[in-house]
């Protein structure tokens, strides 16, 4: 009985070693594949209709979503996230806009009376872009001085 238990334990440990080796090889192959064939990135260009706005104005924008390798319209992302941020880095509004087949989209932000004056930021991104080197950065009072 004790000999059977020892044999089972030896077979189990051998199987564990084989599985671990196979998974390690698969991860090494995946790492090699990603290193040899770099992932295609997307670029977003945002144009606004004006350079400055007053409270109550409407900020119109047009965005172009293209592939970084050939600057042709993207076929990877069909949804664009556009955000309006305060000078302190707080989110005022986030929009989800559909990207057309030719990589174009447009939209607008109506600036409410509750906003205060300052340099606001428009940020646009796709879900595909969130896969690459994303780190969360908290805004501080020192960041405001850089503007």
């Amino acid at each position: 009985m004790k000999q059977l238990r020892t044999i089972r334990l030896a077979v189990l440990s051998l199987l564990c070693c084989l599985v671990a080796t196979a998974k390690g090889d698969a991860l090494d192959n995946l790492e090699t594949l990603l290193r040899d064939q770099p992932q295609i990135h997307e670029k977003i260009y945002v144009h606004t209709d004006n350079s400055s706005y007053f409270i109550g104005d409407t900020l119109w924008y047009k965005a172009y979503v293209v592939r970084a390798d050939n600057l042709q319209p993207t076929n990877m992302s069909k949804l664009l996230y556009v955000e309006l941020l305060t000078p302190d880095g707080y989110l005022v509004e986030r929009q989800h806009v559909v990207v057309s087949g030719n990589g174009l989209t447009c939209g607008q932000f109506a600036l409410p009376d509750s906003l205060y004056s300052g340099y606001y930021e428009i940020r646009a991104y796709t879900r595909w872009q969130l896969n690459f080197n994303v780190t969360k950065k908290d805004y501080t009072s020192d960041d405001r001085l850089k503007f």
Side-chain angles (χ1 to χ4, degrees):
M1 190 67 148
K2 188 174 182 181
Q3 188 177 18
L4 184 61
R5 184 184 220 182
T6 307
I7 292 173
R8 284 183 184 169
L9 186 60
V11 169
L12 182 62
S13 63
L14 180 63
L15 285 174
C16 288
C17 289
L18 289 175
V19 169
T21 304
K23 285 185 179 180
D25 290 341
L27 288 176
D28 291 339
N29 291 340
L30 179 62
E31 180 184 2
T32 304
L33 178 70
L34 290 175
R35 189 180 313 117
D36 294 342
Q37 298 177 356
Q39 299 297 309
I40 298 171
H41 295 275
E42 291 178 325
K43 289 185 178 183
I44 299 171
Y45 299 97
V46 178
H47 295 266
T48 58
D49 67 327
N50 206 341
S51 58
S52 61
Y53 299 90
F54 292 106
I55 300 301
D57 282 352
T58 301
L59 183 152
W60 294 88
Y61 64 87
K62 185 173 187 178
Y64 305 87
V65 184
V66 295
R67 293 168 53 120
D69 60 344
N70 59 11
L71 298 180
Q72 296 299 314
T74 185
N75 58 356
M76 295 179 282
S77 298
K78 297 298 178 198
L79 191 62
L80 181 69
Y81 298 87
V82 185
E83 298 175 344
L84 179 66
L85 298 151
T86 66
D88 300 327
Y90 294 109
L91 183 67
V92 174
E93 185 179 348
R94 177 182 292 136
Q95 297 177 351
H96 311 284
V97 289
V98 176
V99 178
S100 66
N102 57 0
L104 298 175
T105 189
C106 57
Q108 76 275 351
F109 289 107
L111 303 176
D113 294 337
S114 61
L115 295 179
Y116 53 91
S117 64
Y119 294 100
Y120 284 72
E121 179 182 350
I122 297 176
R123 180 170 38 193
Y125 59 91
T126 62
R127 296 285 285 186
W128 180 255
Q129 289 179 322
L130 295 179
N131 292 321
F132 305 101
N133 300 328
V134 175
T135 57
K136 184 175 184 314
K137 181 187 181 307
D138 294 325
Y139 285 92
T140 64
S141 60
D142 293 336
D143 292 329
R144 227 180 321 157
L145 298 175
K146 293 178 184 175
F147 285 101

